[in-house]
Amino acid sequence: MSRAAAARVGATSRAAAGRGGPLTGTRHLARLILRRDRVLLPIWVLVIAALPASYAATYAELYPTAAQRAGYLATTASNPSVEALLGPVYGDSVGALAAQRAGLLHLIVGLISLLVVVRHTRTEEEAGRRELLGATVLGRAAPLAAALLVTYAADLLLGLLVAGGLVATDLPAAGSVAFGLSVTLAGMFFATVGALAAQLTESAGAARGLGLAALGVAYLVRLAGDAGGVEWLSRLSPLGLAQRTHPYTSERWWPLAVLAGLTALVGALASRLAARRDLGAGVLPQRLGPATAGAALAGPLGLAWRLNRVALIGWTVGAAALGAVLGGAAEAAGGAVDGNETVARMMERLGGTASVAEAYLGATLSITALAAAGYGIQAALRMRAEETAQRAEPVLATGVSRPRWLLGHLVFALLGPAVVLVVTGLATGLAYGLSSGDVAGRVPRLTGAALAHVPAVWVLVGVAVLLFGLLPRVSVGVAWATLAACLLLGQLGAVLELSQWLLDLSPFTHTPQVLGGPVPRTPLLALTAVAAALSAAGLLAFRRRDLPS
């Protein structure tokens, strides 16, 4: 937000100041948030809303009879590894199977909602824009209320669209509404967790870390409960509660009421803390660092490692856990399609191999590559965060040149996703090898298949670097929108029967499936060359533009 925009909001708030009160200016701040997120917010809402309906249409096409769906339920959907990854399944109807397949949406929506609230609260405060607005007549609770209001509205709209899409595929309305509401309340709860984290810490990075830790613990508790069949343990997790509505069987509404009550309690605590703390301060005291920096921080590479290490370690640990779950479920996925030629042909087309289990792993690794691209974009956009927080300028005022500073961050933006994918491939191959009795053969094959996605990931990192150098003000929104577009093209392109030229816009379309035979080098080299060109263009543009002051 520019100072001019902040001044306009402040002037508008002064006009409404006569009435006073802690919520004065909430409506104007909410409009400002909507204006700033006018591109990104509709994209993530529409993309996520389309997924459950596409899953339902796919299941209806692949498993048209009750006997086929019962077989899929017995061999795959009820497998402990699948339930650990996606959540429990309640019945063998198309709706019940689609609801389980969309189980990760609760986690994804919670993640996005949390980050949106932190961005519009603690990040604004850390950048000094909250103080600028606070100099006007603005209610003390208005910034927090506006951020939550917009995020809650987006979650509610998303839930309505999800329910409407499922009803449009001829699924029962009660189950569709139950599933849509569960997604909405999961998003609202973790948005409120983000609001609480913003009150506890003094920096946006710490607030995001605290919120993501809470989300990770909730997922692991749900995973442990569902994998072991321990119902009470799953109910301790907000994500587990959201998935206890039994959609399309015998809908249960009490988990949603409990989740709404927890959201209200956390929101009340966040509001109370926001009213008591000083502006710019957090409830938890910030730990002071050493008076002098160590030798590791003597260069830009060491500084970039310091800034990126927590995220990289977190993503790597998460990739290892995900790979173990995917590899453990591969044998069950292969057995699930015995006798179903349609599914077998589809999996072979997606995975590039006649082995259905390996085809399943090839398809899931493609989705994992999108997640790794998310880390790469996050690491690349760290440069923009350092610039807007005005921490880049003092560094560049020393003997550190702009190319050295940018390349220090680029190392982690490029190598970090490669590390995440290698760990995913190793964990997947190890788990699959243990279940099939061929560890020595599976580990290198799956690791190689994961590495084949690295050039496509680098292209998205190159796009983020180019946007940072050329169009820094829109770099964050456009970079994440590019990733969302690739997700949309990959997941829904075939379902929507989009033109091939449109599908070819995604670099992941050009990634070869290497599990089925020799590795073609041409597309991998071409993607690497594109990524290098984009990164070089971003570096040149960054050298020529001014830094904000």
Side-chain angles (χ1 to χ4, degrees):
M1 179 177 62
S2 66
R3 291 180 178 275
R8 286 197 294 273
V9 173
T12 308
S13 299
R14 280 195 298 272
R19 294 181 293 276
L23 296 177
T24 299
T26 300
R27 182 166 61 88
H28 302 294
L29 283 178
R31 290 177 59 190
L32 179 63
I33 293 173
L34 287 173
R35 185 178 185 279
R36 294 179 63 193
D37 287 356
R38 62 187 180 278
V39 175
L40 203 57
L41 191 147
I43 288 176
W44 73 259
V45 168
L46 293 176
V47 169
I48 294 177
L51 291 178
S54 72
Y55 295 151
T58 302
Y59 276 115
E61 180 182 357
L62 298 179
Y63 301 98
T65 67
Q68 288 177 324
R69 291 194 297 272
Y72 176 79
L73 172 66
T75 56
T76 299
S78 59
N79 182 282
S81 296
V82 176
E83 291 201 338
L85 177 65
L86 301 176
V89 59
Y90 303 104
D92 59 2
S93 65
V94 171
L97 296 178
Q100 187 204 32
R101 178 66 181 80
L104 285 178
L105 291 192
H106 301 89
L107 175 71
I108 296 172
V109 174
L111 171 65
I112 296 175
S113 301
L114 186 153
L115 294 178
V116 168
V117 170
V118 171
R119 176 177 176 237
H120 290 292
T121 52
R122 176 53 68 176
T123 302
E124 293 299 294
E125 200 167 326
E126 187 180 27
R129 292 186 286 263
R130 169 70 177 86
E131 185 178 9
L132 181 64
L133 290 174
T136 68
V137 181
L138 187 70
R140 188 173 182 82
L144 180 61
L148 286 176
L149 181 65
V150 172
T151 311
Y152 284 175
D155 290 332
L156 181 60
L157 176 62
L158 172 63
L160 292 174
L161 292 175
V162 166
L166 290 171
V167 171
T169 57
D170 296 329
L171 292 179
S176 302
V177 171
F179 184 77
L181 277 179
S182 69
V183 174
T184 293
L185 285 170
M188 287 182 172
F189 176 80
F190 284 103
T192 315
V193 169
L196 178 61
Q199 312 312 314
L200 294 176
T201 63
E202 291 187 12
S203 71
R208 281 191 292 269
L210 194 60
L212 292 177
L215 183 64
V217 169
Y219 181 73
L220 290 177
V221 170
R222 202 277 305 154
L223 184 149
D226 289 341
V230 185
E231 181 70 13
W232 65 267
L233 184 59
S234 297
R235 291 181 181 180
L236 291 180
S237 165
L239 293 174
L241 271 177
Q243 293 183 272
R244 257 59 191 175
T245 55
H246 293 236
Y248 305 106
T249 50
S250 55
E251 285 76 18
R252 299 179 181 179
W253 306 100
W254 66 264
L256 301 181
V258 173
L259 199 53
L262 290 174
T263 302
L265 286 176
V266 176
L269 179 59
S271 177
R272 189 176 182 85
L273 293 178
R276 292 192 170 192
R277 68 177 177 83
D278 292 332
L279 184 64
V283 175
L284 300 178
Q286 192 170 27
R287 189 179 61 179
L288 297 178
T292 57
L297 289 176
L301 187 62
L303 177 60
W305 161 248
R306 177 83 175 183
L307 295 173
N308 289 282
R309 62 180 180 178
V310 174
L312 179 58
I313 293 172
W315 278 83
T316 304
V317 171
L322 179 62
V325 173
L326 294 176
E331 282 292 307
V337 300
D338 285 344
N340 193 327
E341 294 297 328
T342 303
V343 180
R345 285 196 300 271
M346 184 198 72
M347 294 301 294
E348 182 178 350
R349 188 172 67 252
L350 291 174
T353 172
S355 168
V356 176
E358 290 195 357
Y360 157 78
L361 291 176
T364 53
L365 284 176
S366 300
I367 300 175
T368 307
L370 285 165
Y375 168 73
I377 292 174
Q378 179 190 20
L381 294 178
R382 181 76 195 198
M383 293 183 289
R384 178 59 181 164
E386 292 298 296
E387 183 182 7
T388 55
Q390 299 185 349
R391 290 190 291 265
E393 188 174 7
V395 175
L396 295 174
T398 65
V400 177
S401 65
R402 290 194 182 196
R404 282 189 64 202
W405 180 78
L406 187 145
L407 290 174
H409 285 276
L410 194 58
V411 165
F412 293 94
L414 294 177
L415 296 186
V419 171
V420 170
L421 284 171
V422 166
V423 171
T424 304
L426 285 172
T428 304
L430 182 61
Y432 181 38
L434 289 174
S435 63
S436 63
D438 184 19
V439 174
R442 307 299 186 190
V443 169
R445 279 173 63 83
L446 271 301
T447 304
L451 275 174
H453 293 281
V454 170
V457 172
W458 284 350
V459 171
L460 292 191
V461 172
V463 170
V465 174
L466 177 62
L467 289 168
F468 167 71
L470 196 62
L471 303 168
R473 290 176 62 86
V474 300
S475 58
V476 176
V478 178
W480 287 113
T482 304
L483 177 62
C486 291
L487 174 64
L488 177 64
L489 292 172
Q491 295 296 302
L492 300 178
V495 177
L496 299 177
E497 298 181 350
L498 299 178
S499 300
Q500 186 60 43
W501 71 266
L502 194 58
L503 298 178
D504 288 342
L505 293 178
S506 170
F508 296 96
T509 305
H510 306 283
T511 299
Q513 295 292 345
V514 302
L515 286 173
V519 180
R521 297 181 180 179
T522 302
L524 299 179
L525 292 175
L527 288 171
T528 303
V530 171
L534 291 170
S535 301
L539 172 60
L540 291 175
F542 178 61
R543 292 186 64 182
R544 293 173 179 272
R545 70 173 174 85
D546 293 331
L547 292 178
S549 59

